[in-house]
Amino acid sequence: MTSINLEIGGTPLRIACDRRIMRRLRARYRQFLVTDEAPLGFVVQPPTVRNRRHVLLDRCGFRLGSASNPRHVAAMLDSHLSALLPLASSQARFRVRAVLDAEGVALCFFPVLFVPLSAVEQLQSTGYDVLDRLAVEIESGSGCMVRRLDPLDEIRGRSAGLDTAAIDRLVLPRTNQPLSPTRMEAAAVLCSEAIAGDRGDILDAAIAVVKQASVDTVQVTVANDLARVFPAR
Amino acid sequence: MTSSPMFTPALRSDLLRRELDHDSLIWSPIRPTPAVLDPVATVLLGVIDGMATVADLAQDVEDVVGIERSVAEAQVRRVVTQLDEAGALTTSPPSTHAERQQELFVNPPST
């Protein structure tokens, strides 16, 4: 294992990875490279005989996602690193877990989908892709995810499917209330997961999202039956 | 906590408010997350002007909606309490907690 040191948006961080990934990342983040050793930010574990996928971990060892293609791992990393870039006006940034399939993107809020690793692998084996601890920017006026014109944008999220502009599904934890949440209650949950942005932009973005998205609720238990979250394929 | 009939609720000037499907989402700068208001609270939010007391608001509700005074006052008190918990008011209504404590001794101790 080796590492590269970056500084993005004033935040220094180090990415530990193997030499093959490092060469790819050095070329990708050329303008963010620094020489000083930075605190550990992410780790990209190389494939093993048992697990033939690259695994992306955060500095706490939390598994953020995995992919067999190094390009896809780099795209996941892009999504996380872009959260360090300054937020544009009229945008809000939210923390979500995204589940992607051919039909679109489902944004899941904590603690939804906080499931064991085996369940995530089960999801992946059926064609879903899971991106964890993701930061997405939402345009407050339209409620659409933003693809910004910055050096990371060219490749940011493209291979992971996050260039989808509209958010069509939200997955919320079911509350103690017997009825499904109203759209305003869904927007309030979305606001509580905001990590950056003006309060007004956060409110507008959350309401714009729930206006256009269908809202699914799930019972939040560790042994949750994932089939209840996503309809059978 | 319930509010006194003579309490005059006033909304913070920096309170953010959005409406959708007859519900409201309000966000006070002193709260980390917004609060959802139901349609009744949304209507009352629009008539709280910083001059009318809880009793005045209850009288307005009684006159306009035609419900009993006691029900109207209970609704207004509920909404004022909800707004206070959401950090939407400039001042908190006085607590009647002490009055409720006195109710514990409503029956005099036997001798």
Side-chain angles (χ1 to χ4, degrees):
Chain A
M1 293 281 277
T2 181
S3 62
I4 64 168
N5 297 290
L6 305 174
E7 184 171 329
I8 302 176
T11 303
L13 79 157
R14 180 163 49 92
I15 301 171
C17 52
D18 65 13
R19 292 192 176 280
R20 186 178 166 210
I21 292 287
M22 188 196 68
R23 282 195 297 273
R24 184 179 291 272
L25 297 183
R26 285 188 75 87
R28 202 179 191 94
Y29 305 130
R30 191 176 300 113
Q31 61 256 63
F32 302 112
L33 288 172
V34 293
T35 52
D36 294 341
E37 172 132 332
L40 182 65
F42 297 94
V43 176
V44 182
Q45 288 181 336
T48 61
V49 174
R50 188 165 172 268
N51 179 14
R52 297 180 179 278
R53 299 171 71 90
H54 297 270
V55 178
L56 178 62
L57 307 171
D58 70 6
R59 63 184 176 182
C60 302
F62 188 89
R63 181 189 167 114
L64 300 171
S66 70
S68 54
N69 189 328
R71 192 164 55 87
H72 292 179
V73 172
M76 285 184 203
L77 203 50
D78 291 343
S79 296
H80 292 283
L81 293 179
S82 66
L84 301 174
L85 292 167
L87 193 63
S89 61
S90 301
Q91 290 178 13
R93 183 174 289 151
F94 296 89
R95 184 182 69 141
V96 296
R97 201 172 199 191
V99 178
L100 321 165
D101 66 6
E103 296 173 1
V105 180
L107 295 182
C108 309
F109 298 92
F110 285 84
V112 179
L113 267 179
F114 196 80
V115 293
L117 182 60
S118 58
V120 174
E121 289 174 346
Q122 193 179 1
L123 266 178
Q124 289 168 337
S125 68
T126 56
Y128 291 106
D129 208 352
V130 178
L131 296 183
D132 218 331
R133 294 195 181 180
L134 194 63
V136 297
E137 287 86 40
I138 309 262
E139 182 73 43
S140 59
S142 65
C144 291
M145 278 189 281
V146 179
R147 300 196 65 226
R148 294 175 304 177
L149 295 175
D150 59 51
L152 294 177
D153 185 61
E154 183 188 346
I155 37 153
R156 177 176 178 266
R158 182 175 297 169
S159 53
L162 278 180
D163 55 348
T164 306
I167 299 165
D168 49 6
R169 280 176 291 167
L170 295 174
V171 183
L172 300 174
R174 184 180 294 164
T175 63
N176 292 329
Q177 297 172 350
L179 301 175
S180 296
T182 64
R183 293 203 292 179
M184 266 313 192
E185 287 166 344
V189 172
L190 186 49
C191 287
S192 68
E193 294 296 340
I195 52 177
D198 175 76
R199 280 186 308 124
D201 288 333
I202 292 171
L203 276 178
D204 290 336
I207 291 172
V209 166
V210 299
K211 274 183 179 176
Q212 67 187 18
S214 65
V215 178
D216 302 318
T217 59
V218 294
Q219 189 70 45
V220 182
T221 58
V222 173
N224 187 29
D225 178 7
L226 292 170
R228 293 172 61 186
V229 184
F230 303 100
R233 294 165 66 90
Chain B
M1 179 170 61
T2 58
S3 50
S4 156
M6 299 315 295
F7 174 67
T8 304
L11 298 174
R12 296 177 64 102
S13 59
D14 51 3
L15 183 72
L16 293 179
R17 175 185 173 185
R18 302 288 186 274
E19 287 189 22
L20 179 68
D21 300 337
H22 307 296
D23 290 336
S24 282
L25 198 57
I26 58 171
W27 201 347
S28 166
I30 62 171
R31 291 289 184 270
T33 55
V36 180
L37 302 181
D38 61 20
V40 173
T42 298
V43 170
L44 275 173
L45 191 67
V47 297
I48 291 175
D49 57 4
M51 293 182 285
T53 63
V54 167
D56 294 336
L57 293 169
Q59 182 69 55
D60 290 346
V61 172
E62 181 186 5
D63 293 344
V64 174
V65 184
I67 58 176
E68 285 183 24
R69 177 59 182 264
S70 59
V71 177
E73 193 159 304
Q75 286 281 19
V76 172
R77 286 184 176 194
R78 176 186 67 83
V79 172
V80 169
T81 300
Q82 189 179 4
L83 292 174
D84 182 45
E85 289 171 352
L89 302 180
T90 53
T91 55
S92 293
S95 172
T96 56
H97 187 62
E99 295 168 21
R100 287 207 301 273
Q101 277 187 334
Q102 288 175 355
E103 291 171 6
L104 292 171
F105 303 100
V106 67
N107 294 322
S110 57
T111 54

